[in-house]
Amino acid sequence: MNDLEKIMSLTWEYRPQDGCYAAEGICYCDKPVVPELQSLNIYVPETLMGKAGAVADVLAPKTPRGTVYAPADVPIVFYNDIGGYAECKPAPLTPRNRRFLNDGFVLVSVGARGRQTRDAEGRACGKAPAALVDLKAAVRWLRAHRDELPAGSTDSIVSVGTSAGGAMSSLVATSGNSALYLPYLEQIGACMDECDNIFAAQCYCPIVDLEHADMAYEWMFRSKRIYTMGDKRPPEVLDAAQTRLSQALAAAYPAYVNSLPLGVELGEDGRSGSYYRELMEHLSTSLEAFLQAEGTDAGDRAALLAELDPAGAFTGARDKDGTPQISDLDAYVRAYIGRMKGCPAFDPMSRASPENQELGEWGAAEGALEDKRHFAPATAKVMRSLAMDEASAYEADLTEDRAERARLINPMAFATGAVPSDTAPHVRIRVGSRDAGHSFSASFNLYRALVERGVDADYGIVWGQGHCDADRSGEFSAWVDRICGASRA
């Protein structure tokens, strides 16, 4: 047994092809419901230990960027592979997460229960807020074993996730140490003597604020009736009732936005005010950054812009130097991004969305009516105002328990300070300019609420990317180096 294997009572494998040591399948709680999900993998760059597995003789190696961390100070990238609120095992090394290891960080890949998870008796055991509870338990496990980790600082945990995983990343960041989760953590045997707050979070295209997601979606995509869920299905068209509902949901959204402590306001028409201008400025900056990066000179940049928007449908001149401006969101949606979902987008009448299953009943059998439930009171309220028959079905599902569980997976409750918690000091949010999976406004609301709370929040739209790990090469690692105070050799 070498020096590394003596550090923890775990099985470590040296993987020269990956340039790391790996310990996989570590259960992070004492009473797991589904152990293969409630576990984590740890990947440590070999440069932090040396090929012989000796930690002591490794002194502050350079990262590929030329920055320097002592082994005990290296940030831990806390990575979840959650999508569609589904369960996930801890991801092995893949091109998607290997980049964090290649950047010189310790990578912890975490599994969690999800909306379809069943126990041994076939009962639902992964409904909200199970996934977040599992991630919190994993953070606590890392803290409890901080002195046994061969490298990596539990004071510099950086959560990373995309889509529903991005929402979970934002929740790990905003809900730190909230007492609301303690009963759930005790049930699975988490390390109750430890904390679950973290240092930072990277949230890619987060699906957040489900209770108001239908309104947010129609606010952004109200100008489109045609939608498509992908290449394998033909386009569909909102019918007359859906179109009427879309317009009403969009019209109701400014009042909700203006009820939040965001420091900016949205006009009643939904297309004016400091809120709208700031969001559109982010979009314009995204396009400008793309043109500057890809265009060799002013003429080439103009040619690229003409290719992106040949009819000038959504771009115009910002100022005298001709840099592009996007000021008409409806034109942008119609000409460039399109619409992906019907109406309602997240809490549909069919109860067929992942979110409906996420907020279904604990203990429900697979395929049972209780497995999927309505959850959006804002949608039900607008339906009732339109005298829609479907309103009754929504209202019947909106129990106090469901409202509480929806709140437990809504980072806005914590970001605004409505619910006490220890919020991470740094949060970075990135969405793709072609992301039609959610409204830009949902993640923008989260960003603005964090800014108002004094958090170092960073929001950006990445041109040309969709609902994915939207980012520009090298920017994530540069951000981590900045907030963690890495020195440069």
Side-chain angles (χ1 to χ4, degrees):
M1 181 179 293
N2 64 27
D3 291 344
L4 177 61
E5 291 170 325
K6 295 175 183 177
I7 293 174
M8 292 195 289
S9 56
L10 301 170
T11 301
W12 286 86
E13 177 187 358
Y14 174 52
R15 297 183 180 174
Q17 72 277 17
D18 295 318
C20 74
Y21 282 84
E24 299 179 323
I26 306 164
C27 191
Y28 49 68
C29 53
D30 290 338
K31 295 183 286 185
V33 184
V34 188
E36 62 269 26
L37 298 177
Q38 294 169 291
S39 60
L40 56 81
N41 301 337
I42 306 174
Y43 303 99
V44 181
E46 66 181 12
T47 54
L48 299 179
M49 290 170 284
K51 294 183 180 179
V55 178
D57 60 1
V58 178
L59 298 175
K62 293 182 184 178
T63 70
R65 301 172 302 288
T67 53
V68 176
Y69 293 98
D73 296 331
V74 174
I76 295 174
V77 171
F78 185 81
Y79 173 83
N80 79 74
D81 206 25
I82 296 170
Y85 288 95
E87 67 185 26
C88 72
K89 294 181 180 179
L93 282 179
T94 65
R96 188 179 184 187
N97 62 28
R98 189 190 304 268
R99 67 186 189 272
F100 305 118
L101 186 68
N102 294 342
D103 282 342
F105 304 128
V106 172
L107 172 62
V108 174
S109 175
V110 188
R113 291 169 291 168
R115 57 185 170 82
Q116 81 277 43
T117 304
R118 310 282 163 187
D119 62 18
E121 285 72 41
R123 299 170 301 191
C125 62
K127 306 297 187 183
L132 176 59
V133 170
D134 287 350
L135 296 181
K136 284 175 170 287
V139 171
R140 288 168 177 256
W141 185 94
L142 289 170
R143 289 248 166 77
H145 295 81
R146 60 171 69 82
D147 294 334
E148 303 169 44
L149 296 176
S153 171
T154 57
D155 292 330
S156 298
I157 295 175
V158 183
S159 177
V160 178
T162 302
S163 190
M168 289 299 150
S169 186
S170 72
L171 281 157
V172 175
T174 56
S175 68
N177 304 324
S178 170
L180 296 177
Y181 302 93
L182 294 179
Y184 295 95
L185 288 163
E186 289 174 347
Q187 286 176 2
I188 63 171
C191 300
M192 300 306 295
D193 292 335
E194 296 295 339
C195 298
D196 56 53
N197 61 299
I198 63 170
F199 183 66
Q202 169 65 66
C203 313
Y204 291 118
C205 302
I207 303 292
V208 293
D209 197 2
L210 297 183
E211 298 100 306
H212 306 94
D214 290 333
M215 289 198 308
Y217 200 84
E218 299 313 318
W219 171 84
M220 181 163 172
F221 294 98
R222 66 185 192 183
S223 65
K224 288 285 290 186
R225 291 178 57 211
I226 302 172
Y227 64 99
T228 177
M229 292 295 290
D231 296 337
K232 296 182 179 180
R233 288 175 53 177
E236 298 181 58
V237 180
L238 300 185
D239 61 26
Q242 288 176 307
T243 300
R244 185 168 168 242
L245 177 59
S246 170
Q247 293 169 349
L249 287 168
Y253 192 57
Y256 167 64
V257 168
N258 293 331
S259 73
L260 300 171
L262 305 182
V264 288
E265 292 188 0
L266 181 60
E268 290 186 8
D269 62 354
R271 294 297 184 266
S272 62
S274 55
Y275 177 100
Y276 181 75
R277 290 192 297 272
E278 183 176 334
L279 183 54
M280 298 309 291
E281 182 69 17
H282 280 288
L283 189 55
S284 298
T285 298
S286 172
L287 174 56
E288 184 177 351
F290 168 77
L291 296 174
Q292 290 291 338
E294 300 298 329
T296 56
D297 53 35
D300 191 27
R301 289 191 287 274
L304 289 173
L305 181 59
E307 188 173 332
L308 284 169
D309 186 20
F314 62 87
T315 56
R318 177 183 300 179
D319 49 35
K320 292 181 180 179
D321 67 4
T323 53
Q325 181 180 29
I326 303 173
S327 58
D328 187 337
L329 183 58
D330 294 320
Y332 177 79
V333 166
R334 289 193 301 269
Y336 185 73
I337 187 173
R339 181 185 179 113
M340 180 181 174
K341 299 181 179 182
C343 181
F346 291 90
D347 191 358
M349 300 171 193
S350 63
R351 296 190 184 92
S353 77
E355 292 78 14
N356 288 128
Q357 190 174 34
E358 170 72 353
L359 285 157
E361 303 289 349
W362 280 77
E366 185 174 3
L369 177 64
E370 296 79 10
D371 193 42
K372 300 177 181 180
R373 290 294 199 185
H374 292 301
F375 57 83
T379 303
K381 182 177 180 180
V382 172
M383 285 182 166
R384 178 60 63 192
S385 72
L386 297 176
M388 295 179 66
D389 293 339
E390 292 82 359
S392 296
Y394 280 74
E395 292 164 347
D397 280 357
L398 299 177
T399 62
E400 290 185 9
D401 172 71
R402 199 165 338 279
E404 174 63 14
R405 291 196 294 118
R407 183 174 69 148
L408 290 176
I409 59 168
N410 187 349
M412 293 300 295
F414 304 97
T416 60
V419 179
S421 64
D422 295 326
T423 299
H426 309 280
V427 177
R428 184 172 184 264
I429 301 169
R430 289 294 182 272
V431 299
S433 71
R434 303 203 79 154
D435 182 7
H438 201 357
S439 170
F440 292 163
S441 66
S443 54
F444 183 68
N445 290 348
L446 176 60
Y447 158 72
R448 285 298 321 177
L450 290 169
V451 168
E452 290 299 296
R453 290 282 308 283
V455 173
D456 173 31
D458 184 340
Y459 180 82
I461 299 173
V462 184
W463 190 263
Q465 298 195 22
H467 193 69
C468 63
D469 303 347
D471 217 339
R472 300 181 184 89
S473 178
E475 289 193 359
F476 170 80
S477 56
W479 172 69
V480 174
D481 286 347
R482 176 182 66 79
I483 63 176
C484 292
S487 60
R488 184 168 291 276

